[in-house]
Amino acid sequence: EDTKSTFNLSNPLLGGQLQGLAEMRDGNNGEYFNGTSTAIDKDNYTVTISGSGMDIDNCTLANDGGTIYLGNTAFHFTSWTYDNATGDYTFSIDPNDSNISLFGAKAGKNAWVGAKVNYQGIPYYMEQMNNWIRSFASMVNGVFSAGVTSTGADAGILLTGVSGSGDEEYTEEQLLNKDTDTEGKGYYYLNAGNFKVADAMIKDATLLGTRADAEEGVAEYKNVTKLISLLSSTEVEGAMNYRGGSAGTFLASILGDSALNMSNANTFQSNYESIKNTIENQKMSVSGVDEDEEALKMVQYQRSYTLSSKMLSTFTEIYDRLILETGV
């Protein structure tokens, strides 16, 4: 039987430089997938999680599987789907999982993927970037895809992402949830690593839906002015509101987070460096040895011992004479 325990890098009692490196690598500011299992299908090996509080735009789950914990038991899931109407996630559990005999015992268990790490590390900034990109792409594509081109034709999307390892792009049907095969994931497919302008728009700018009304002349560009308004204000309906600011303030907010965290980290390190140096100096003051000083002390101690011995010898002799020669 394997009695080895798993080393927990997210343990807050870890401490030291190792904990700092772990938090930098895994810190998600306490935002991770967690909820309650509300439905378990033992026959099809699926579990539905409700109350995660994580909508699809904020989702950080890997699309190709991972590990999910149900009541402290780990299971490997191979895929997952999202229900836009209820906000529930349904995971497909690997039937070959070593813990599969425990699957489906009872609904209502706590469920989570990943770990809660209360630090703004690399995952936090990645999540912020992904969330902004998805919201930004949704807003921009929503404006242009509802318009018409300069020739009066239906327009497509401006922003998309690379699908997989090739050059294939996500289609309008996939991103706008018009294709049932996408299982309601929509803009989840976009992230900071695959975000791009659609190739068709780069090759032919006339495909952009700049016009809001096909009945007006070719010089009409209401969608362009609408997008500018959405980007520069939070008061316009449909505009992004990022921490109380417009879409354009996103970078300033992220840089502010980064600068504040860097300042706090430098202050923290400086304080502990000072404590460390103080302890080191105290240690050296106690353990440091001056050979000349120690040799002098040894001579002093030796002389003190010799004098003490002579005094004792003299007192002994006096005592003997008093007893033996005076007859006391």
Side-chain angles (χ1 to χ4, degrees):
E1 182 182 356
D2 186 6
T3 59
K4 295 180 180 179
S5 59
T6 302
F7 182 69
N8 183 12
L9 267 178
S10 61
N11 188 337
L13 301 178
L14 185 63
Q17 185 176 12
L18 181 59
Q19 181 181 356
L21 293 173
E23 289 183 344
M24 178 62 69
R25 187 195 70 172
D26 303 330
N28 52 23
N29 202 31
E31 299 175 2
Y32 70 114
F33 182 91
N34 63 98
T36 304
S37 59
T38 54
I40 295 179
D41 187 337
K42 301 178 183 179
D43 297 326
N44 296 312
Y45 302 104
T46 63
V47 56
T48 299
I49 309 299
S50 301
S52 66
M54 180 178 287
D55 62 34
I56 196 67
D57 287 338
N58 295 322
C59 183
T60 57
L61 294 172
N63 195 43
D64 54 355
T67 301
I68 183 171
Y69 290 85
L70 301 175
N72 293 322
T73 302
F75 297 93
H76 181 259
F77 66 89
T78 55
S79 62
W80 55 273
T81 59
Y82 178 75
D83 189 327
N84 279 293
T86 63
D88 293 345
Y89 290 80
T90 299
F91 294 82
S92 295
I93 305 299
D94 185 357
N96 298 316
D97 193 296
S98 59
N99 289 327
I100 200 63
S101 60
L102 303 175
F103 178 69
K106 183 180 179 182
K109 296 180 179 179
N110 292 332
W112 67 92
V113 177
K116 180 179 181 180
V117 183
N118 289 315
Y119 184 79
Q120 293 180 354
I122 294 173
Y124 166 78
Y125 290 103
M126 293 177 65
E127 291 165 11
Q128 294 292 302
M129 286 293 298
N130 291 344
N131 178 257
W132 185 86
I133 283 171
R134 292 163 183 170
S135 300
F136 181 77
S138 176
M139 180 182 67
V140 173
N141 288 344
V143 171
F144 287 132
S145 63
V148 293
T149 67
S150 57
T151 61
D154 291 337
I157 58 175
L158 173 65
L159 303 174
T160 183
V162 177
S163 173
S165 58
D167 296 328
E168 185 179 352
E169 298 176 345
Y170 288 108
T171 64
E172 179 180 359
E173 286 72 23
Q174 288 176 305
L175 296 182
L176 300 185
N177 288 327
K178 295 179 181 179
D179 185 351
T180 55
D181 292 338
T182 63
E183 300 165 338
K185 294 181 180 179
Y187 282 96
Y188 157 83
Y189 292 114
L190 300 189
N191 56 58
N194 66 6
F195 185 56
K196 62 174 295 186
V197 175
D199 286 339
M201 294 295 177
I202 296 176
K203 295 176 182 177
D204 186 1
T206 62
L207 297 177
L208 192 63
T210 56
R211 298 168 60 191
D213 190 348
E215 300 299 324
E216 297 190 23
V218 294
E220 188 261 306
Y221 53 91
K222 290 182 179 179
N223 279 350
V224 176
T225 57
K226 179 180 180 181
L227 183 60
I228 293 174
S229 178
L230 290 173
L231 291 173
S232 58
S233 173
T234 60
E235 304 299 326
V236 181
E237 183 180 356
M240 290 176 60
N241 188 328
Y242 188 82
R243 297 184 184 178
S246 65
T249 63
F250 165 77
L251 185 59
S253 299
I254 289 297
L255 288 176
D257 283 348
S258 178
L260 181 61
N261 286 337
M262 182 178 69
S263 176
N264 290 338
N266 287 337
T267 301
F268 187 81
Q269 181 181 13
S270 177
N271 291 339
Y272 274 82
E273 282 289 341
S274 299
I275 295 174
K276 173 188 172 185
N277 291 335
T278 300
I279 294 174
E280 287 288 344
N281 292 336
Q282 292 178 344
K283 177 182 176 183
M284 291 297 295
S285 68
V286 174
S287 63
V289 176
D290 186 323
E291 294 182 358
D292 294 336
E293 181 181 356
E294 295 300 320
L296 179 60
K297 287 182 178 180
M298 286 183 65
V299 171
Q300 291 175 341
Y301 291 146
Q302 184 178 15
R303 289 179 177 176
S304 297
Y305 175 77
T306 301
L307 290 174
S308 297
S309 298
K310 288 183 177 180
M311 288 180 65
L312 289 173
S313 176
T314 300
F315 282 128
T316 300
E317 185 177 351
I318 292 173
Y319 181 76
D320 288 343
R321 285 184 178 273
L322 286 171
I323 298 298
L324 298 176
E325 295 185 9
T326 62
V328 177

